Amino acid sequence: MTVAYKQQSADRLQESLGLVQSLIERQRQLEHLVSRQDAAESAAADGLAPQHNLTELRQKLAQLHPADIAHILEALPLEDRLLAWDMAEAARGGAILLEVSDAVRESLVEVMDQERLVAAVSGLEADELAELAPDLPRQVVYEVMGRLDEEERGQLQAVLSYDDDRVGALMDFELVTIRADVSCEVVLRYLRRFDELPGQTDKIFVTDEAGRLKGVLSIRKLLVSDPDAEVAQAMATEVVSFHPDEAALDAALAFERYDLVTAPVVDERGVLLGRLTVDAMVDVIREESDSEVRNLAGLKEEEDLFAPVMDSVKNRWSWLAINLCTAFFASRVIGAFEHSIAQLVALAALMPIVAGIGGNSGNQTITMIVRALAMGQMRIGQTGRLWRKELGVSVINGMVWGSVIGAIAWLLYGSASLGLVMLAAMTLNLMLAATMGVMIPTLMQKLGKDPALGSSVLITACTDSGGFLIFLGLATLFLL
């Protein structure tokens, strides 16, 4: 997909969002107008009836892909979102629920009755039902399972038996299998019997009589192979495969590393259970990225942009409370040097610079370490080496930029000693930032927590308090 096409797609999506918002706004105006008119005026204004506007909204939504509708729903306030949701085609409800964020999905499921929920999700595949199941009422899940055949019910139960972050929870059971002792011509004839191949089919899985995976036959290889050649000659036996208990993020990183479109999932005996597809792995990477951003900022969970005030308060309060405590501690550090600040007012003007640049440097380090841990590029045993490297970077940056701000302080306040204190304080605080930037996420990892959890809040607390203590302490020792 070219950059130009991506931009056009984004522009079309924004245009659709704008049109839907306009139709909803007009609907509100029409409903208000009708409520104020008498019978004669209502008859005269029949051409502007709200029902006609709703029809136009329904037709517009019917033209959009479920993923685009999901984007629009997430961009609408709750009242408007529910109106648009009511106008969406009921048959596509399940596909739309799959695309929206967890928080928005919850708001939609809350307003749906059991009958509509069952109708919306009944047409979904087993792996898709498993993704929605935690957000659906238990009775709805039972009723949908009762409508499945024995094979589909077994597949759904298999997927539900794994945690959300495991490969088994993301397995797709739509795949094509063949035997190794048939010819490529037989395989081609077999494929032509399908009305449509499963989505993302780039390879066919080769199994034996017991269902054990023996290799894969690429569709591209099949098309150029001698029709009389056996599959065993054309297939690849070196296959990247996964076990259902493996971490989904590890599988997603492997997809990125090896440029995979699909990959088999096998049990400990090598029996083919299902497959992973690239679209599911892209979702895993996106969700992991979103989770890291939220955790760095101290958000407990994914938040609906238009969530009720109290829901947002509950999501944010815990780390704000921690931040309040650390900020109070930083204020006490400053309070301990009130006498020094009173004697040399320049300290009050300069100390935010030391703390600010330390916080920025610490966030750079912590972001890099968190990403390295998430991508599997860093092991805990490498912590010391990375800390020494970051320490070297901080010393050089501290000397360079500390000299710059020290010279400025000398020029502004006519004190070379103050400039040297600025140089020393900035260098030491950057060294502290580097140390904490490596230590905080690795310690979180050792404790079994998400390395990104509250890291931004913690590093800011350390560099603020440490920066104030270092700068004011050096100033008290050497300038007063």
Side-chain angles (χ1 to χ4, degrees):
M1 185 182 294
T2 65
V3 174
Y5 182 80
K6 289 180 181 178
Q7 185 60 48
Q8 290 173 5
S9 178
D11 290 343
R12 284 197 298 269
L13 181 56
Q14 288 303 113
E15 182 181 346
S16 297
L17 172 59
L19 180 57
V20 169
Q21 289 174 324
S22 298
L23 289 170
I24 292 176
E25 183 179 356
R26 186 167 66 180
Q27 181 68 18
R28 304 297 185 201
Q29 294 171 349
L30 289 172
E31 290 175 349
H32 178 69
L33 179 62
V34 169
S35 68
R36 297 181 59 184
Q37 291 174 331
D38 57 29
E41 290 174 321
S42 296
D46 186 60
L48 297 176
Q51 192 59 42
H52 293 178
N53 191 71
L54 288 178
T55 300
E56 186 177 350
L57 175 59
R58 187 180 293 109
Q59 291 172 344
K60 177 59 185 176
L61 292 172
Q63 298 169 3
L64 299 175
H65 189 279
D68 293 339
I69 298 176
H71 175 83
I72 289 172
L73 292 174
E74 292 179 353
L76 294 175
L78 183 59
E79 185 178 358
D80 294 347
R81 176 188 300 158
L82 297 181
L83 174 60
W85 175 239
D86 287 338
M87 293 300 103
E89 291 178 323
R92 299 203 295 169
I96 296 170
L97 287 175
L98 282 169
E99 298 289 345
V100 296
S101 64
D102 292 344
V104 172
R105 182 187 301 153
E106 182 180 344
S107 72
L108 298 177
V109 170
E110 282 179 355
V111 300
M112 297 175 70
D113 56 36
Q114 181 172 321
E115 184 178 348
R116 184 181 176 189
L117 272 173
V118 172
V121 303
S122 291
L124 299 178
E125 301 296 333
D127 57 313
E128 296 172 332
L129 282 171
E131 183 177 343
L132 290 181
D135 298 318
L136 299 176
R138 184 172 300 178
Q139 190 58 40
V140 171
V141 177
Y142 290 154
E143 185 169 344
V144 173
M145 288 183 68
R147 299 186 179 189
L148 302 176
D149 59 36
E150 186 175 350
E151 181 182 5
E152 291 174 327
R153 193 180 303 117
Q155 292 172 348
L156 178 57
Q157 290 173 337
V159 173
L160 290 175
S161 67
Y162 296 99
D163 293 335
D164 291 342
D165 61 347
R166 300 290 105 181
V167 163
L170 302 174
M171 283 191 299
D172 179 8
F173 298 99
E174 280 195 301
L175 46 80
V176 181
T177 61
I178 56 174
R179 298 291 171 80
D181 56 356
V182 299
S183 69
C184 291
E185 175 61 29
V186 170
V187 176
L188 288 170
R189 289 203 304 267
Y190 172 62
L191 294 180
R192 293 189 190 103
R193 294 169 56 187
F194 287 84
D195 293 330
E196 184 180 19
L197 290 177
Q200 312 292 339
T201 297
D202 68 320
K203 60 176 69 77
I204 304 169
F205 301 102
V206 185
T207 60
D208 62 14
E209 292 81 0
R212 290 186 291 267
L213 183 69
K214 293 301 180 183
V216 296
L217 177 60
S218 164
I219 295 293
R220 290 182 297 177
K221 180 69 173 177
L222 172 64
L223 293 176
V224 299
S225 294
D226 184 348
D228 295 326
E230 286 194 348
V231 169
Q233 298 174 290
M235 72 180 187
T237 56
E238 295 294 327
V239 183
V240 177
S241 61
F242 301 95
H243 294 282
D245 289 319
E246 287 187 58
L249 181 58
D250 292 342
L253 295 176
F255 263 68
E256 183 182 21
R257 187 181 312 119
Y258 300 119
D259 295 326
L260 300 175
V261 176
T262 61
V265 180
V266 298
D267 65 13
E268 63 279 357
R269 296 179 292 113
V271 174
L272 182 64
L273 301 177
R275 65 172 185 159
L276 294 179
T277 59
V278 65
D279 52 347
M281 296 298 96
V282 168
D283 288 343
V284 170
I285 292 175
R286 176 182 56 80
E287 290 169 6
E288 179 65 21
S289 176
D290 290 345
S291 176
E292 283 184 14
V293 172
R294 291 196 306 272
N295 286 332
L296 281 170
L299 292 174
K300 292 172 61 178
E301 58 188 23
E302 188 176 26
E303 182 178 312
D304 180 1
L305 183 62
F306 298 101
V309 171
M310 290 310 299
D311 288 351
S312 295
V313 169
K314 292 175 183 177
N315 190 30
R316 306 180 194 185
W317 77 269
S318 57
W319 281 99
L320 288 178
I322 294 173
N323 193 33
L324 178 62
C325 294
T326 58
F328 180 77
F329 179 76
S331 72
R332 289 299 82 213
V333 171
I334 297 173
F337 293 94
E338 286 180 352
H339 180 70
S340 301
I341 296 173
Q343 288 185 292
L344 188 57
V345 179
L347 299 179
L350 295 174
M351 64 182 182
I353 298 175
V354 177
I357 197 169
N360 186 36
S361 177
N363 275 308
Q364 290 176 343
T365 300
I366 213 164
T367 299
M368 187 192 72
I369 298 298
V370 166
R371 183 180 182 278
L373 289 169
M375 298 293 288
Q377 297 172 341
M378 173 186 169
R379 298 187 302 275
I380 297 298
Q382 297 173 315
T383 301
R385 181 176 181 178
L386 287 172
W387 171 68
R388 289 190 293 272
K389 177 251 184 179
E390 289 300 311
L391 208 60
V393 172
S394 65
V395 169
I396 294 174
N397 279 330
M399 296 297 292
V400 171
W401 297 110
S403 297
V404 171
I405 196 64
I408 293 174
W410 182 5
L411 293 173
L412 286 175
Y413 300 102
S415 172
S417 299
L418 180 59
L420 291 173
V421 165
M422 280 294 296
L423 167 61
M426 190 169 292
T427 302
L428 291 173
N429 198 31
L430 288 180
M431 293 172 66
L432 173 65
T435 301
M436 300 309 298
V438 174
M439 182 184 299
I440 290 172
T442 52
L443 183 59
M444 287 287 190
Q445 182 90 334
K446 284 185 176 180
L447 295 174
K449 305 292 185 181
D450 189 327
L453 185 60
S455 293
S456 181
V457 176
L458 295 175
I459 193 69
T460 300
C462 292
T463 53
D464 281 356
S465 300
F468 294 148
L469 179 62
I470 291 168
F471 177 60
L472 295 175
L474 290 176
T476 301
L477 285 174
F478 297 106
L479 300 180
L480 300 175

